[in-house]
Amino acid sequence: GSGVHGAAFDAKLAIAKVASSSSYDFELARQATIWGRDQGSVAVNVSAAYLLDPNLHGRLVKISEGSYYLDHPTYDENGFYGVKSLGSSWQSALGTGQVLVKAAGNNNTSYSAGLNQLATATNDDGELMLNGQMLIVGNWDTANSVIRGNQAGNVCTSWVDGNCLDAARIQDSFLLAPGTNIVSTYPGDNYAAMTGTSMAAPVAAAAIAVLHQMWPHLDGAQLASLLLVTADKSIPGYAQHVHGQGLLDLENATRPVGDLGLPQSAAVEGVKMALSGGGAMTNLASSARLALSGVMLLDDYQRDFYVDLGASISNVDTRKTSATEAGGLVDGYAAYFGEEKKAAFRTMLSPSVSLISGAGREEGEFLGQRISGILGHLGVSTTAYSLLNVSRRVNDNGVQLFGQLGGGITHLDFADRPSLLQDADTVISKTATLGMMKSFGVANEAGQIQSGGSFGAIISRPVQIQSGNLSYNLPVARDINGRVAFDQRDVSLRPDKYETDLGLFYRRTALGGALRAETYIELRYNAAGTPVDDNRPVHGGGVRVQFRF
C-alpha cells in the first residue's frame, strides 16, 4: 500500500557502486559489467553520460539533417574521447547475454555521442564491436508528447577520407522510454519524482528483464533488437534522427514478431509450417478439441507462443438428406457423393426386405466433414456402405411400418504435404430410421385411383460417425537449448452427442395425379452444428406443390 514498483518488479537486481560523490567512472562500470556477466545479468543499466564538451561540439560538421562528423585530428576516426578503442573490452565484458542500456544524456543536443558511440563502433571487418547489444535511451515526456534531452542524431565514430565507416547509426540503437517525473527511491529512505534520461534508461532495462523472463533463450543482441523493432513510431512528429526507433512498447514486444509457424523438426531453427487451414465437423467432442490445444508456434526470434487449433474447427451441419422430408426411407450415404462418383445396388431378400450396397468418393471431404492445412491435406475419401431396408404392411387399412439400419466404412487419403497429421484411422459410421405410414386413396368406378396420399411419423438418426481417430504429432514446448518437444495426440471423430430427428409428413395427390402436394414438420434433437450445451430442438418444415400439365 505504499511506495512504488518498477516495470520488472520481480526481477533480481545486482547493484554495483561505480560512482563517487562527484563523478561516474565508466571503467568501473565496465568492471561491474564483467561482475554482472558472471552472475547471469541480462541488462547493464548505465544512467550516466558525459557532459557537453563545448570544444568538440563546436567542431561538428553537419552532413545532413541529424547526421554529423567530428573535425578533429584524433577523435574523428576514433569517436569522442577515443571511445572506439573501448569497444572490444566492452564486448568482452557484456559476453553474449547482456545488453548495455545507456542513458542518452541531458544536454539537449540534436545528437547523442560520447560513450553512446559504442553502439556504432565498428571493427576492421565492418562488424559492430558490441554486436547490437546496446540501447541508447532517450527521455520521452509522456504528458506533453515530446522528447527531452539528447536526440537520436548520429555523429560518425570513424570518419576516414570523407567517408563514415560505421556499420550502423546512433538512431538504429536509440529507444525512447518514459523519463519525465518518474517516481523512484531517493536517499534517506524516501521517494522522489525526477526527470532525465537517467530515469528512462532503467525502464528499458526492466523491459529487457521482462522479455528474458518470458523467453530465457534470447541473447543480448536479440533482446535489444526486440525492443527496437517493436517500438511505437506513431508518436507525434516522429523522425528517425530525432526519436530513433520510437517509443518503448513492451506490450508489442511480447507479441509475435514476423511470421508465426509450427516447427517440423526437433530444432527451433528448422523449417516451419505456416499456420493455415482448419476444419468443419459435426459436434466434435470437447475432448477432441482439447487434444488440439496448447500447440506451440515460433516467431522470427524463435519465441514460443501457443494456439488452440481446436478453435479452428467449426461445428457444421453435414446432414444431406431428411427421411421426414422424403416421407420414408432414403439413402443417406448416396447424398454425399457426386453422380459420377457413386454406385449402389439393391438386392431383394424378400418381398419386404431389401439390401442396398453402395460406394462413393468425395473430394476434400469425408461424409461432408472437412480438414485442411496443418490439420491434414485431405485428398479424397472412399466410403463403402450397406443399408438394410424393411417395409411391411400391418393391416388392410393401409398402415405400413418401415425401418432401416445402415453402416459405412470410410478410408481417408491425404496428400503428401507438410502438416501435423501423422495417421488416420478408418472411419465407421451408422444410420437408423423407424417409421409408420398410412396410405389412403379414392378410386373411380373402374377402380382407378383418382386421388390419394399418405401421412406418417418418423424417428431417425442420420449418417453419423461412430469411431475413428486422427493422430497428430504436435509441438508443445521448447527448451532453452533450442530443442522442440512434441506430443503424440489422438483426436477422436466420435461426436459429443448424436442427432435424433422426429418428424411428421403428409402427402396428397389429386386430379388423377396431376396435382401433388407435400408437407412436413421436423424436430431435430442434438442437431448437427448446434452448440454442445444447447438441448433445444431445431425446428424444420416445408411445403411443396407440383402441378403437371
Side-chain angles (χ1 to χ4, degrees), residues 3 9 13 61 67 73 108 168-169 189 194 212 394 449 455 487:
F9 54 87
L13 302 181
V61 179
S67 179
N108 296 317
R169 302 166 300 169
D189 293 331
M194 300 182 70
H212 184 265
V394 296
I449 299 295
F455 61 88
D487 189 21

Side-chain angles (χ1 to χ4, degrees), residues 33 37 44 89-100 130 133:
T33 300
R37 177 199 66 193
V44 181
S89 63
W90 270 94
Q91 174 56 57
S92 177
L94 287 171
T96 59
Q98 295 188 105
V99 179
L100 176 58
L130 263 59
Q133 292 171 235

